[in-house]
Amino acid sequence: MRCRTVLVSGAGVAGPTLAYWLQRYGFRVTVVERTPTLRRGWGGHAVDLFGPAVVVAERMGILPQVLEARTRTELISLTRPGKAPVDVDFTRLAAGISDRHVEIMRGELTAILHDATRNDVEYLFGDSISALTQHEHGVDVTFDHGAPRPFDLVVGADGLHSVVRRLTFGDESRFRRYIGGYLAVYTVPNSLQLDRQMLTYLTPGKLAATYPVRQTGQARAAFLFRRPGELDYDHRDLDRQKRLLREVFADDGWEVPRLLAELDATEDLYFDSISQIVMDRWSAGRITLAGDAGYCPGPAVGGGTSVAIVGAHLLASALREAGGDHVRAFERYERTMREPVARSRVIAPAIMATLIPATRRQVWLMIQAMRVIPRLPTAVQRRLFALQGTPATALAAIALPAEPWDADRPQDT
Ligand SMILES: Cc1cc2nc3c(=O)[nH]c(=O)nc-3n(C[C@H](O)[C@H](O)[C@H](O)COP(=O)(O)OP(=O)(O)OC[C@H]3O[C@@H](n4cnc5c(N)ncnc54)[C@H](O)[C@@H]3O)c2cc1C
């Protein structure tokens, strides 16, 4: 029997993108999302759409909304202790990385994706899959709250700590590869009245930043730091995470004390290790993974958003092309995604090294490079970035399937 009903776990980036394409290809799609609602301006961080991910957004007809919601960052100020800030023209830097690039708050992007799918896709908010039982004709799904239901296919698009991955492939520790750092992001008031500008402060092994969120009038504080071994904490223990962050940045000046003081009031602290998900395969029977759940390159360092969008589109296309034959489709999806995923995984540690230089000399070198690179002709910048590798180069090898409009018909069963 060809597959027609698909359950997608996770309404982040990969989930609704996949849902959009599947419903366009005639599948009946249900998305289950753990959070009770989508809170547009709440939490989240700035993410990037590069090259093919922008093309996917364009094909979905959401590019005007995405462009309208973009962050509009124009300047990044880099400060190191005791030195005057160096201002970097971010628009020129981004153009050097990719001719198609959009920076957008993750919450805005997920809201746009939800708007684009809400009328054609069933959303179950405030629930989670608790058990998956596969058999010859489908997957029986049990939820934490809702009644059990059968589906033809299940896709885990539920992020770095995916429940579908755990239930299907085993414990996260088998697949998570720590790459040596942590990051924290939370909402703060825009006390500095920042507009189109990100401020950063660099010391060896640490980066603190703050940038405005146009849509809410607030700002975000972001902290990244290196740590050779993993920290010991419970991911539900927010107080411990706040303490850890305060300890790591205790001796730092600049805006750091003020940003840390806001930790007490914040409700949306995101604190996690910079880790990758490394798996030999993403599919088992009628269950597969998309986005961070299957191939997270590391939050903030590997272009996970673009990889998630492109992966979701390719998975849906593979199912369309295989006429719903999941065995053929999953095999094709894995084959197509393997190379960009491998590239993004290699690039991520290099980007982390650039973002969080380890020594004073590296901090100085990074700032000098940032000072010079945007002034170079775009073509020269491209060559330099291609040498280092960026999320854009990771996706460069991807050939998106031919325009899907002709094939935009229900599946034959
Ligand atoms: C602080 C930070 C900064 C980042 N910066 C960048 C950047 O600059 N550029 C970039 O490209 N990427 C960046 N990323 C990475 C980017 O956010 C992810 O790669 C991208 O969101 C992946 O999309 P996804 O849909 O796979 O997963 P997610 O966006 O994580 O979505 C997963 C969804 O699944 C839901 N979920 C989780 N568990 C369950 C469950 N049990 N049941 C149901 N639903 C569940 C979650 O609530 C969420 O809605 C950053 C990430 C972080 C955390």
Side-chain angles (χ1 to χ4, degrees):
M1 190 187 104
R2 302 279 166 87
C3 301
R4 295 202 54 92
T5 59
V6 184
L7 174 66
V8 178
S9 175
V13 176
T17 304
L18 176 67
Y20 173 88
W21 288 107
L22 286 177
Q23 64 80 23
R24 284 207 72 164
Y25 299 149
F27 294 85
R28 282 204 309 280
V29 188
T30 300
V31 178
V32 57
E33 165 61 45
R34 186 183 49 183
T35 59
T37 52
L38 279 185
R39 290 195 271 176
R40 197 165 194 139
W42 194 85
H45 44 270
V47 298
D48 303 285
L49 269 56
F50 290 107
V54 178
V55 175
V56 173
E58 194 167 36
R59 289 182 178 187
M60 292 170 74
I62 59 168
L63 191 56
Q65 295 94 302
V66 168
L67 290 174
E68 174 54 32
R70 72 190 188 279
T71 58
R72 295 177 165 79
T73 307
E74 290 173 359
L75 206 71
I76 302 186
S77 290
L78 304 167
T79 305
R80 61 194 168 112
K83 303 289 176 194
V86 170
D87 289 340
V88 175
D89 182 341
F90 179 69
T91 40
R92 280 200 51 83
L93 194 67
I97 294 174
S98 170
D99 55 356
R100 303 206 81 181
H101 168 254
V102 186
E103 185 189 62
I104 182 171
M105 297 304 292
R106 180 187 167 281
E108 292 297 318
L109 179 61
T110 55
I112 291 169
L113 291 167
H114 179 242
D115 284 347
T117 47
R118 64 195 308 164
N119 293 333
D120 306 300
V121 167
E122 178 190 27
Y123 275 91
L124 309 172
F125 282 101
D127 211 343
S128 173
I129 296 170
S130 55
L132 293 166
T133 310
Q134 292 202 57
H135 50 80
E136 197 187 338
H137 300 297
V139 188
D140 292 332
V141 182
T142 310
F143 296 94
D144 283 351
H145 304 294
R149 283 168 63 174
F151 291 89
D152 294 330
L153 300 176
V154 174
V155 182
D158 40 6
L160 183 55
H161 306 293
S162 165
V163 74
V164 173
R165 187 184 60 232
R166 178 171 55 75
L167 293 171
T168 311
F169 295 94
D171 195 71
E172 180 175 309
S173 57
R174 294 175 53 193
F175 309 109
R176 197 169 61 82
R177 186 187 290 167
Y178 175 65
I179 59 169
Y182 280 82
L183 83 166
V185 179
Y186 54 94
T187 298
V188 294
N190 188 3
S191 318
L192 298 169
Q193 309 282 308
L194 296 174
D195 181 23
R196 302 174 187 228
Q197 185 183 13
M198 176 189 278
L199 306 185
T200 65
Y201 180 73
L202 288 144
T203 56
K206 292 189 273 184
L207 177 147
T210 180
Y211 55 91
V213 180
R214 212 163 42 80
Q215 287 84 359
T216 63
Q218 295 172 303
R220 293 284 190 274
F223 292 88
L224 287 93
F225 60 95
R226 287 167 178 270
R227 169 79 36 160
E230 291 196 61
L231 294 164
D232 182 22
Y233 67 94
D234 180 341
H235 72 273
R236 284 158 303 199
D237 187 350
L238 285 185
D239 288 338
R240 166 104 175 104
Q241 293 164 29
K242 290 178 181 181
R243 275 203 307 282
L244 281 168
L245 199 56
R246 284 199 174 97
E247 279 164 29
V248 174
F249 286 87
D251 299 329
D252 289 301
W254 186 70
E255 290 293 321
V256 169
R258 189 187 60 77
L259 295 172
L260 289 177
E262 299 292 348
L263 262 178
D264 285 329
T266 196
E267 290 178 3
D268 64 1
L269 173 66
Y270 172 94
F271 185 95
D272 212 339
S273 66
I274 304 182
S275 294
Q276 303 185 326
I277 294 297
V278 182
M279 304 180 75
D280 294 338
R281 61 198 171 97
W282 305 308
S283 314
R286 293 171 169 271
I287 301 172
T288 193
L289 303 170
D292 277 3
Y295 33 82
C296 178
V301 290
T305 306
S306 293
V307 178
I309 289 176
V310 170
H313 181 38
L314 290 176
L315 171 56
S317 295
L319 278 161
R320 169 177 62 79
E321 282 166 17
D325 175 345
H326 67 279
V327 177
R328 277 204 295 137
F330 290 174
E331 192 273 327
R332 185 189 178 114
Y333 161 60
E334 299 215 0
R335 201 166 6 97
T336 326
M337 279 305 286
R338 202 141 288 283
E339 188 186 336
V341 164
R343 284 194 191 194
S344 68
R345 195 179 290 148
V346 171
I347 285 163
I351 294 181
M352 201 176 101
T354 309
L355 264 183
I356 329 173
T359 62
R360 280 172 64 144
R361 182 165 167 73
Q362 284 172 8
V363 169
W364 179 82
L365 274 173
M366 195 277 247
I367 293 179
Q368 299 318 309
M370 288 298 128
R371 197 200 290 262
V372 172
I373 290 171
R375 296 184 191 152
L376 299 172
T378 305
V380 179
Q381 287 190 52
R382 290 260 162 87
R383 292 183 76 105
L384 281 176
F385 284 124
L387 282 176
Q388 137 128 28
T390 66
T393 51
L395 289 168
I398 281 281
L400 291 174
E403 283 289 340
W405 318 124
D406 294 343
D408 182 19
R409 286 175 270 112
Q411 298 287 303
D412 296 331
T413 48

